[in-house]
Amino acid sequence: MYTKKPTTPEDVVERAYKGKCTKEDALLLLEGNPFELFELANNLRASTVGDTVSYVVNRNIYITNKCVGNCGFCAYRTEKGYILSVEEILEKVGEARKAGAVEVCIQGGYTPEADMEFYLEIIESVKAEFPDLCIHALSPMEVNYAAGISGMSVEEALRRLKKSGLDSLTGTSAEILSDRVRKIICPGKINTQKWIDTITAAHKTGISTNSTIMYGHVESLEERLDHVFIIREIQKETGGFTELIPMAFLPYNNPIGEKMLASGKFSTTGLEDLQLIAISRVILHTYVKNIQATWVKLGKKLAQVALQCGANDLGGTLMEDQISTASGGSYGEYVSPAEFEWMIKGAGRIPMQRDTLYRKVERNFPNRVDPLPSLGKTKIGSRE
């Protein structure tokens, strides 16, 4: 039987295993046979984390859909929306806890009505009532904005958030870490250096973060790679990233997407998604251990395939993901722990429930598949 010889140069593979992949190496790997890239990424995954695939039982809580931002990719924000009270947030957290959640991800927009004192009150209240629950909340953009309107420095805000009980800051608002791209898609957001400075300050304060990349809109391939290399450089300095979450841009119901669709360009292809997951594993090898395949963007079946291409985490049960559904996401808002276990075993891997910081937790399967029957009934921009 004839077997085609690998075309990837040996020195490129050697550098990948040493954690020294260069930008030139990455471009070469992306230009070559995708299955060779997938195999390399899969081997690096195996040598780093073995065959365990993790997921977290969590709930997204959107405290507001009001935002003064002007991001061209957002289909969620509105100027006349809702802001949840602390009591309403605690009610949602309580529902999540009863459903077996070990994490709540608290997110919002940036609005003058939500200053740093409001965020501190939320975190302190949640921690007081649910001390064993991981609070994963806010973005570097939200921290900068809320700190500014509260008259405090970002460093002081982070110290107070840490003291109040924040376990982890989200790595969102990164989009693509290129000022050229940011001026097009999110001109009102913090620039690349400010994002880097905020994340670095969080890590040095003792607050871990994940990292994200939202790709597939106006960025070039090299800008995507530069983003991942920036993540690697920060991790070299701080060691504070828990994971990288590649998130494909959904081009529906937003201005940037409308322009794309009008030009005949649709969302990323499945192959493109898998290639980014794989090349991220290669670039970040020895630095960031965990690469997530987010089912809410990829769909359950492609996320399962991504486990053969360098990914080792499937993200969270979510229970709510209004932002993706508002942007045209069609993969639902909830996956039960039992279904995660089935997906992972079906991929030949070993499932593990984790918390925000990737610590193993005892598996907990609520009796009902849908722990929150009201999900999906809330109208975007309304309060129920």
Side-chain angles (χ1 to χ4, degrees):
M1 180 178 176
Y2 173 74
T3 303
K4 187 176 180 181
K5 292 183 179 180
T7 57
T8 306
E10 290 184 8
D11 61 326
V12 172
V13 176
E14 288 175 6
R15 282 193 291 273
Y17 272 94
K18 292 177 181 177
K20 296 182 178 180
C21 174
T22 66
K23 186 175 175 181
E24 292 70 28
D25 291 343
L27 287 167
L28 189 149
L29 287 166
L30 289 169
E31 291 167 0
N33 183 335
F35 292 96
E36 289 186 22
L37 170 59
F38 298 157
E39 182 179 12
L40 173 59
N42 195 42
N43 290 338
L44 293 175
R45 182 271 313 157
S47 69
T48 303
V49 295
D51 287 334
T52 298
V53 173
S54 53
Y55 66 95
V56 60
V57 181
N58 67 348
R59 182 179 189 175
N60 280 357
I61 297 175
Y62 297 97
I63 59 177
T64 182
N65 61 351
K66 296 178 72 172
C67 185
V68 297
N70 57 351
C71 298
F73 54 81
C74 184
Y76 182 67
R77 78 173 187 92
T78 178
E79 293 181 3
K80 295 181 180 180
Y82 69 86
I83 296 181
L84 295 179
S85 67
V86 173
E87 291 73 24
E88 288 170 314
I89 292 167
L90 287 173
E91 183 180 352
K92 286 177 174 286
V93 175
E95 291 173 347
R97 194 71 188 96
K98 288 177 183 177
V102 299
E103 172 195 287
V104 285
C105 182
I106 300 173
Q107 305 178 73
Y110 44 105
T111 171
E113 297 162 87
D115 60 9
M116 187 53 62
E117 296 300 331
F118 179 55
Y119 289 137
L120 292 170
E121 182 185 1
I122 292 170
I123 291 166
E124 289 168 5
S125 299
V126 172
K127 209 64 174 178
E129 193 160 337
F130 306 96
D132 60 337
L133 205 60
C134 283
I135 302 176
H136 179 55
L138 308 185
S139 68
M141 178 68 225
E142 288 171 283
V143 172
N144 273 270
Y145 184 83
I149 62 176
S150 296
M152 65 178 74
S153 68
V154 168
E155 290 75 15
E156 181 186 355
L158 289 166
R159 286 193 295 270
R160 293 188 63 182
L161 287 166
K162 171 74 172 173
K163 186 177 180 181
S164 295
L166 181 68
D167 294 291
S168 176
L169 189 75
T170 76
T172 54
S173 72
E175 325 313 351
I176 293 290
L177 294 173
S178 156
D179 286 334
R180 183 196 75 83
V181 172
R182 299 177 81 79
K183 286 176 183 176
I184 299 171
I185 68 170
C186 54
K189 274 189 176 172
I190 53 177
N191 63 23
T192 298
Q193 190 59 52
K194 195 69 175 177
W195 188 91
I196 293 170
D197 291 344
T198 305
I199 284 287
T200 302
H203 292 174
K204 291 181 177 179
T205 305
I207 302 172
S208 68
T209 76
N210 57 24
S211 58
T212 64
I213 175 172
M214 187 190 73
Y215 63 97
H217 36 85
V218 304
E219 86 287 355
S220 67
L221 176 58
E222 290 204 16
E223 284 168 330
R224 285 185 199 176
L225 294 177
D226 288 341
H227 180 113
V228 182
F229 279 106
I230 288 172
I231 299 300
R232 187 171 82 175
E233 290 306 306
I234 295 172
Q235 188 74 338
K236 282 182 182 180
E237 179 183 352
T238 70
F241 286 127
T242 54
E243 65 190 331
L244 174 70
I245 309 175
M247 300 187 297
F249 170 63
L250 299 175
Y252 304 98
N253 306 323
N254 59 72
I256 296 294
E258 287 172 5
K259 290 180 181 179
M260 279 179 53
L261 294 171
S263 69
K265 181 181 178 182
F266 295 85
S267 58
T268 56
T269 64
L271 184 62
E272 196 176 355
D273 295 327
L274 296 176
Q275 285 176 307
L276 182 59
I277 286 169
I279 202 64
S280 296
R281 170 63 71 185
V282 174
I283 294 169
L284 297 176
H285 182 58
T286 75
Y287 298 103
V288 178
K289 290 175 61 175
N290 304 297
I291 307 293
Q292 185 181 124
T294 173
W295 64 268
V296 77
K297 302 289 187 183
L298 299 173
K300 298 170 188 175
K301 291 184 177 181
L302 191 59
Q304 195 179 35
V305 175
L307 299 179
Q308 309 294 332
C309 303
N312 70 298
D313 184 77
L314 288 178
T317 55
L318 296 184
M319 302 186 192
E320 288 176 83
D321 190 42
Q322 298 171 11
I323 291 177
S324 289
T325 53
S327 299
S330 58
Y331 300 116
E333 296 180 71
Y334 175 68
V335 170
S336 69
E339 188 171 0
F340 269 134
E341 300 260 333
W342 174 79
M343 289 168 62
I344 293 165
K345 290 176 181 176
R349 299 289 163 77
I350 304 163
M352 183 189 84
Q353 274 195 31
R354 63 168 176 87
D355 67 6
T356 311
L357 304 179
Y358 278 79
R359 297 173 299 203
K360 183 178 180 179
V361 300
E362 291 302 316
R363 287 184 284 188
N364 183 6
F365 295 89
N367 291 329
R368 58 191 184 211
V369 173
D370 182 357
L372 298 170
S374 64
L375 289 182
K377 296 179 182 178
T378 302
K379 296 179 180 178
I380 300 302
S382 71
R383 188 172 175 179
E384 193 174 78

